[in-house]
Amino acid sequence: MTILPTERSIRSTPEGLLWEPSTRWVRGSKNGVTVVDSRRPVLVWEPDLPVPQYAFPREEVREDLLRPAKNPPTGTHTGSQVFYDLEVGGDPVENAAWTFPAEDLAGHIAFEWFRRWGTGLDHWYEEEEEIFIHPRDPHKRVDALSSSRHVRVEIDGTTVADTRRPVLLFETALPTRYYIPREDVRLDLFAPTEHHTGCPYKGTAQYWSWRGDADVPPNLVWSYPDPLPQVAAVQGLLAFFNEAVDITVDGERAARPVTPFSEMLSKRTAEQDRS
């Protein structure tokens, strides 16, 4: 049966997966070899992952490069899957691909992509644009808007940023992030780190850590020196994790949100305390 995507075409499976067909042309390569070349990919959302993944019809995958996994993991993805190792040019990648148990997704193979360093393919493209970290969610929106709100950021009672010219970044399912001009941030209170992260919506971020004794996680502040065009307004500005600092907007103290980042920040703080 041919399934044509519509504006509201998300389906669910008994295993708790959400999925919908996509019309994007998606390609993935390893060591210069195209492993996936699909015009009929399917986006899949697992219950414990906040971002989607792609699964591809078998006929659009180089199955000759896949081998039954020698050491298949347990509890990595939803349900009981079959895992595959990928071998391209003598460079094996363990558990690079798998199948979902859902009947709806029979005949499809998924590949590691989310947090894929060292575990997945080298490059992924949607049409002719390279995409990093994970596929973009078609139901997610990211807007960066210039504002005249008065934003003040404090750490352990110390004001570290104060501005009336922030850029507010609104991202679906996340709290508003306040991007502040460097001139309005006490950057002398922070030390640059080697930490970097990538985002398919914003680009690659660089980080700073608090120099003081407050019980806050490292890599608390970030900036996008070369953001993607969709959020160009945040270029060079600095943002703080709302989850770990005190932010006051127009005189009203904002509650610290609980987000998918909260647990990560708590672990960072604990690891820092033990070091």
Side-chain angles (χ1 to χ4, degrees):
M1 179 178 67
T2 300
I3 300 175
L4 297 178
T6 63
E7 185 178 353
R8 305 181 67 87
S9 57
I10 294 182
R11 291 132 169 131
S12 62
T13 75
E15 297 79 9
L17 298 166
L18 297 176
W19 67 278
E20 70 174 354
S22 172
T23 59
R24 299 188 182 195
W25 177 25
V26 179
R27 301 179 308 289
S29 64
K30 179 70 175 179
N31 294 338
V33 176
T34 297
V35 178
V36 176
D37 189 335
S38 177
R39 287 172 169 79
R40 296 181 295 120
V42 171
L43 280 166
V44 182
W45 289 262
E46 292 192 61
D48 296 328
L49 280 179
V51 298
Q53 302 161 90
Y54 274 122
F56 308 97
R58 286 182 174 272
E59 58 269 25
E60 297 181 336
V61 171
R62 286 283 305 274
E63 287 195 80
D64 59 302
L65 302 176
L66 300 179
R67 310 284 185 269
K70 293 181 179 179
N71 301 296
T74 58
T76 304
H77 295 285
T78 302
S80 301
Q81 311 85 10
V82 175
F83 283 87
Y84 299 94
D85 295 340
L86 171 69
E87 187 168 339
V88 181
D91 183 14
V93 181
E94 286 195 349
N95 303 309
W98 72 95
T99 61
F100 287 109
E103 182 179 350
D104 290 356
L105 299 174
H108 289 73
I109 297 177
F111 283 81
E112 284 295 351
W113 192 337
F114 177 59
R115 295 178 180 171
R116 63 180 174 79
W117 298 279
T119 62
L121 303 189
D122 295 333
H123 300 281
W124 286 100
Y125 296 88
E126 291 177 349
E127 302 299 331
E128 298 301 325
E129 183 173 344
E130 187 167 11
I131 306 298
F132 302 94
I133 309 302
H134 62 80
R136 292 173 179 169
D137 189 330
H139 303 283
K140 190 180 187 76
R141 178 166 180 152
V142 181
D143 294 307
L145 305 179
S146 298
S147 177
S148 59
R149 287 176 180 257
H150 182 198
V151 177
R152 188 174 74 254
V153 182
E154 295 175 85
I155 295 177
D156 198 26
T158 299
T159 297
V160 298
D162 193 321
T163 189
R164 294 182 182 272
R165 48 179 185 154
V167 170
L168 274 55
L169 191 134
F170 301 92
E171 184 170 351
T172 303
L174 287 176
T176 303
R177 302 299 191 189
Y178 301 93
Y179 283 78
I180 300 172
R182 291 182 182 228
E183 298 83 0
D184 297 338
V185 177
R186 286 287 308 278
L187 202 52
D188 59 301
L189 300 177
F190 299 89
T193 75
E194 296 299 318
H195 187 61
H196 290 80
T197 59
C199 172
Y201 308 104
K202 297 184 286 291
T204 300
Q206 56 186 177
Y207 285 79
W208 289 259
S209 289
W210 173 244
R211 293 181 185 271
D213 295 327
D215 190 22
V216 293
N219 301 307
L220 186 66
V221 186
W222 73 89
S223 178
Y224 289 96
D226 188 23
L228 296 176
Q230 298 92 322
V231 293
V234 305
Q235 184 172 20
L237 307 186
L238 299 165
F240 295 77
F241 277 109
N242 311 41
E243 298 88 339
V245 301
D246 295 316
I247 297 181
T248 300
V249 181
D250 291 338
E252 183 175 348
R253 175 69 61 86
R256 293 191 183 183
V258 176
T259 74
F261 295 102
S262 299
E263 183 178 356
M264 173 197 71
L265 292 168
S266 296
K267 289 180 179 178
R268 283 188 193 173
T269 303
E271 291 171 358
Q272 180 174 258
D273 291 342
R274 289 195 298 268
S275 63

